Amino acid sequence: MDFALSPEQAELQRTVRAFLSEKSDDAAVRRLMEAEVGYDTAVWHQMATQLGLHGLAIAEEHGGAGFGLQEQAIVFEEMGRALLCAPYFATVALAAPALALSDAAAQYLPDIAAGATIATVSTDAATAVQQRADWTLTGELDHVLDGHLADLILVSAGDGLFAVAGDANGVKRELLATMDQTRKQARLTLDSVPARRIGSAAILGQVLDIAVVLLAAEQVGGASACLEQTVEYAKVREQFGRPIGSFQAIKHTWTEMLLEVESARAAAQYAAWAADAAPEELPVAAALAKAHCSEAYARVATESIQLHGGIGFTWEHRTHLYYKRAKSSELLFGAPAAHREQLVTRLAL
């Protein structure tokens, strides 16, 4: 097991980092987080067509590049560093893996790889009614990532997984006011909405393991950015006639933050490796990575605020955006305690 990046992976990291440093700077993040749509369509198109990011882990037969979760995790780490505002996580980390396991892969994945379809998955279930060969879904789905604009919504109902068109009759969308404005969430109400059964509801269990691994990678990127901006600040911020970074107490805190970041990176990399090379280890590795990386990101973001002089929620500073992303990601798909319980269950302890 070697976690060092291959030359190709290092080039992927450099390319994505350079792209996002230009397209997802502080001004872009603030502009998009305040806009209802929440993403830049031109940047979205470039990500899909010029960089091939949407189809990176989609099979070549469905228009993708056929890479594994390790390469996908590199991309998500960079997006976490840049606080990218886009429906990328919902589409690529949630919907694409679900579709790949479904009966509808050939129909939907090529458009996702091309950036033509924005998709999402609801973790709430609906009620399905069948009339001959047709299905309809009814129910309320809360906190659906990018559900306010998704072209395709995947919903479980009973023992099935269903595909719903975002613009279908009976779909009502409501954008929610959330703490982390860089990742949009919506409440969807389905009223006898036409749906297509594309597989078993059990697919979602496998997909959530993949999603939390990629979320862990994103959390590592955010924590890394917090550490780097804190170190740079402490080099120039002076107190008592010297940079505050020269004080031993600050250096100790930096060391603890670095340990948090690197231990989180190891957990996330192991989980991504397991997804590609040892799928039988994925359930345990995913629960471990989500629990550890969630807490590591939250702790590093909190220390970053403290070392910036308790800057807290000062609107002009980027630090609070990372803190809000850290806290919302900590609870997304379950709090760390829930994932530790899963870990115990999966290890049969």
Side-chain angles (χ1 to χ4, degrees), residues 74-75 77 108 112 152 219 232 240 256 305 325 334 346:
I74 291 170
V75 173
E77 182 173 337
Y108 294 115
I112 286 182
L152 176 67
Q219 290 168 319
E232 291 304 314
F240 307 117
E256 291 166 358
I305 285 176
R325 174 67 77 89
R346 291 173 174 183

Side-chain angles (χ1 to χ4, degrees), residues 234-239 241-247:
K235 286 180 181 177
V236 298
R237 170 75 165 88
E238 292 191 359
Q239 190 68 36
R242 52 192 278 199
I244 63 172
S246 64
F247 293 105

Side-chain angles (χ1 to χ4, degrees), residues 26 62 131 151 233 250 257 274 278 282-284 343:
D26 192 62
H62 299 313
Q131 293 181 334
D151 305 303
Y233 174 78
I250 301 296
M257 293 168 71
L282 176 60
V284 168
L343 184 60

Side-chain angles (χ1 to χ4, degrees), residues 44 52-59 62-65 67 69 72 76 87-115 117-122 152-154 161 198 203-204 206-208 210-211 214:
W44 179 260
L53 299 184
H54 294 59
L56 192 65
I58 291 176
H62 299 313
F67 285 97
L69 214 65
Q72 193 78 81
F76 274 98
Y88 188 80
F89 189 92
T91 302
V92 173
L94 279 172
L99 290 167
L101 295 169
S102 77
D103 302 329
Q107 178 181 351
Y108 294 115
L109 286 178
D111 280 346
I112 286 182
T117 293
I118 294 172
T120 190
V121 175
S122 167
L152 176 67
I153 305 158
L154 304 185
L161 179 66
I198 60 172
I203 288 174
L204 287 189
Q206 302 174 57
V207 168
L208 287 179
I210 293 172
L214 295 175

Side-chain angles (χ1 to χ4, degrees), residues 141-149 172-178 183-189:
L141 316 173
D142 220 359
H143 297 286
V144 181
L145 297 182
D146 298 302
H148 64 302
L149 50 72
K172 180 182 176 183
R173 313 177 193 226
E174 177 189 358
L175 184 63
L176 298 176
T178 55
R183 184 156 24 224
K184 305 292 187 184
Q185 299 181 28
R187 179 179 295 115
L188 305 181
T189 303

Side-chain angles (χ1 to χ4, degrees), residues 13 17 21 77-78 80-82 220-236 253-254 257-258 261-262 265 297 300-301 303-304 307-308 317-319 322:
Q13 183 185 58
R17 184 173 297 187
S21 67
E77 182 173 337
E78 294 306 313
R81 287 175 57 92
V220 171
S224 298
C226 287
L227 173 60
E228 290 167 13
Q229 71 178 16
T230 303
V231 171
E232 291 304 314
Y233 174 78
K235 286 180 181 177
V236 298
T253 304
W254 283 348
M257 293 168 71
L258 179 62
V261 171
E262 291 305 318
R265 178 173 284 115
Y297 189 8
V300 171
E303 291 292 359
S304 178
L307 293 186
H308 278 82
H317 203 278
R318 193 176 175 92
T319 302
Y322 284 105

Side-chain angles (χ1 to χ4, degrees), residues 258-305:
L258 179 62
L259 287 173
E260 294 280 7
V261 171
E262 291 305 318
S263 63
R265 178 173 284 115
Q269 287 182 326
Y270 166 65
W273 170 85
D276 289 341
E280 70 280 4
E281 297 182 26
L282 176 60
V284 168
L288 173 66
K290 176 59 170 69
H292 185 70
C293 294
S294 291
E295 293 182 338
Y297 189 8
R299 282 195 286 263
V300 171
T302 301
E303 291 292 359
S304 178
I305 285 176

